Amino acid sequence: MKSSRLLIGLLLLGAISASHAADTKPAAAPSVDSTFVQTRTLPGFSTPLISHGIMRFDPTHGFHWEITSPYHYIFEMNGKQAQEQLPDGSVRQLDPDQTPWLAAVEHIFISALSGNTGDLQRYFTVKVTPQGRGRHVDLTPKPGPMANAIVSIEVTESAPGHPQALVIKETSGGRMDIRFSPAAKPAP
């Protein structure tokens, strides 16, 4: 369960940033700051788990995923360092040597954030559909470890770098639907 939650978090970062893969010219990695509502359905459970939280990414501080309700969980990754704070308050450092997929997944997401479509297309079939406002990006994992856990990832954006919705379909039959809202700016 722990590695599944972490993999889903990392895939979330990749999916949000994958929309930038439609641009063939590498660009600076964008910053994202939003709140989210996540609805998680699992096979065998009739009631979905609904959680709320915040997500931030910027090239300097890395990725921050925090569930604030109904429990508290934090996952942070910056470069080769990753850690999670579990609901009981304990903090666990994630060692890249113990989790070799972490470095590979991070490489995929940094490539996506920088617009490096070659690297992204090495792992996913990427389909971008322009919409009246924004675009829809479909990612289908190519055969390999990621395809063992994920069937597809869909991202809907209001504009490049502005995710509105994310759907991750898992091979287990589980599904994660996430709706994003821009984070409130503090009053001056």
Side-chain angles (χ1 to χ4, degrees), residues 6-30:
L6 182 58
L7 179 59
I8 296 301
L10 290 171
L11 287 171
L12 172 65
L13 172 62
I16 289 169
S17 59
S19 57
H20 299 283
D23 305 322
T24 55
K25 184 172 99 176

Side-chain angles (χ1 to χ4, degrees), residues 130-146:
Q131 298 180 330
R133 288 181 46 121
R135 57 188 174 180
H136 185 85
V137 180
D138 291 301
L139 299 173
T140 304
K142 292 185 176 179
M146 198 171 306

